[in-house]
Amino acid sequence: MKVGILAGGKGSRLAEETTIKPKPMVEIGGHPIIWHIMKTYAQYGFKDFVIALGYKGEVLKKYMVDYLSLDGNITVDFKTGQVKNQNNSALDWTVDLVDTGMDTMTGGRIKRLAPYVNNETFMLTWGDGVSDINLKDLLAFHRSHGKLATLTAVRPPARYGHLIFAGDQVKEFNEKPQIGEGWINGAFFVLEPQIFDYIDGDDTQWEREPMERLAQDGQLMAYRHHSFWQCMDTLREKHILETLWESGKAPWKSWD
């Protein structure tokens, strides 16, 4: 099953990092966040990726091409110019890197992946968010309802601490409570190929007309994920993920 990852946005709210690289290449613990996302999928056996490139896509291409030589040992024959990869990597991924246009919107990028999913069910997520979601359970949920699209609904941590009062006295302070109401779209989709019919072209935002029409047609279902999820839209959120990784207890790290 193909796993599509959208990696073409400019990441303007991470401008300190994204002036020289696309947002999915911003590092957490010495690895680009897209590596963390791909490791999560691979842990559940989903290792066939197609990445939609846009802004600074050449950086991602170079990373993928150089990955094996940088990760393992190589032998360089200066006489012949041959480079032999003594591959020490345990990765057995296949990755298609697809230029989907510099200014193409999310829906347009998704539609440009159509030739790569072989007219079959596929997974899709953004290249800037991690989770401890059980992807096998997500897929089972999608197959159980028979609709065209499943999104993962999440309740993100609140940005500010939550106070509980008794009169003017603070009775309880919770620094990062889960929001009690308001599920949001956390990506980690499972989709049928018919969803491409809901996308008009490059100027279409997936989160607008296509998802609204799927909902109106009764074809959009939500898999409620109650555990860890975190996007990386800002430097503050990057710091949260870095701190979790450095603690040795990153919730999304399900691999050895």
Side-chain angles (χ1 to χ4, degrees), residues 58-102:
E58 69 279 2
V59 178
L60 242 164
K61 285 182 180 177
K62 181 171 175 54
Y63 172 76
M64 293 296 175
V65 169
D66 290 345
Y67 184 89
L68 291 180
S69 59
L70 295 175
D71 187 57
N73 300 329
I74 60 172
T75 299
V76 181
D77 188 326
F78 279 76
K79 182 182 295 185
T80 64
Q82 286 187 322
V83 178
K84 183 178 180 181
N85 191 340
Q86 301 172 19
N87 186 9
N88 295 328
S89 174
L91 301 183
D92 54 352
W93 304 350
T94 301
V95 185
D96 292 310
L97 298 148
V98 183
D99 288 312
T100 58
M102 181 68 71

Side-chain angles (χ1 to χ4, degrees), residues 16-31:
E16 292 87 346
E17 296 258 5
T18 55
T19 53
I20 59 171
K21 65 182 75 167
K23 184 161 66 165
M25 286 297 296
V26 174
E27 292 187 356
I28 302 297
H31 295 281

Side-chain angles (χ1 to χ4, degrees), residues 2 38 47-50 92-96:
K2 283 281 189 180
M38 295 169 78
K47 303 176 182 181
D48 194 358
F49 300 96
V50 55
D92 54 352
W93 304 350
T94 301
V95 185
D96 292 310

Side-chain angles (χ1 to χ4, degrees), residues 121-137:
T121 306
F122 66 103
M123 292 188 168
L124 177 82
T125 197
W126 310 148
D128 63 357
V130 289
S131 177
D132 62 355
I133 184 171
N134 185 313
L135 294 164
K136 292 287 190 181
D137 289 349

Side-chain angles (χ1 to χ4, degrees), residues 86-220:
Q86 301 172 19
N87 186 9
N88 295 328
S89 174
L91 301 183
D92 54 352
W93 304 350
T94 301
V95 185
D96 292 310
L97 298 148
V98 183
D99 288 312
T100 58
M102 181 68 71
D103 299 312
T104 305
M105 305 302 285
T106 51
R109 294 193 195 282
I110 294 169
K111 189 151 189 167
R112 292 201 187 197
L113 300 183
Y116 296 86
V117 303
N118 303 317
N119 201 36
E120 297 174 348
T121 306
F122 66 103
M123 292 188 168
L124 177 82
T125 197
W126 310 148
D128 63 357
V130 289
S131 177
D132 62 355
I133 184 171
N134 185 313
L135 294 164
K136 292 287 190 181
D137 289 349
L138 170 64
L139 180 58
F141 173 80
H142 176 78
R143 287 177 167 159
S144 73
H145 60 62
K147 305 297 185 181
L148 297 183
T150 297
L151 62 79
T152 296
V154 298
R155 282 174 169 162
R159 179 167 182 177
Y160 302 106
H162 179 63
L163 301 176
I164 297 176
F165 298 103
D168 292 329
Q169 181 182 357
V170 176
K171 298 295 289 183
E172 183 179 336
F173 175 75
N174 190 339
E175 186 179 0
K176 292 185 176 68
Q178 289 294 107
I179 295 172
E181 299 295 336
W183 293 85
I184 67 168
N185 171 18
F188 292 96
F189 299 92
V190 184
L191 304 169
E192 298 301 325
Q194 293 92 324
I195 63 97
F196 294 120
D197 296 335
Y198 285 78
I199 302 171
D200 292 332
D202 283 355
D203 295 331
T204 304
Q205 284 186 270
W206 169 245
E207 306 89 331
R208 299 284 180 86
E209 293 90 350
M211 288 184 65
E212 290 169 0
R213 287 170 54 204
L214 283 162
Q216 290 166 5
D217 291 350
Q219 293 294 330
L220 180 61

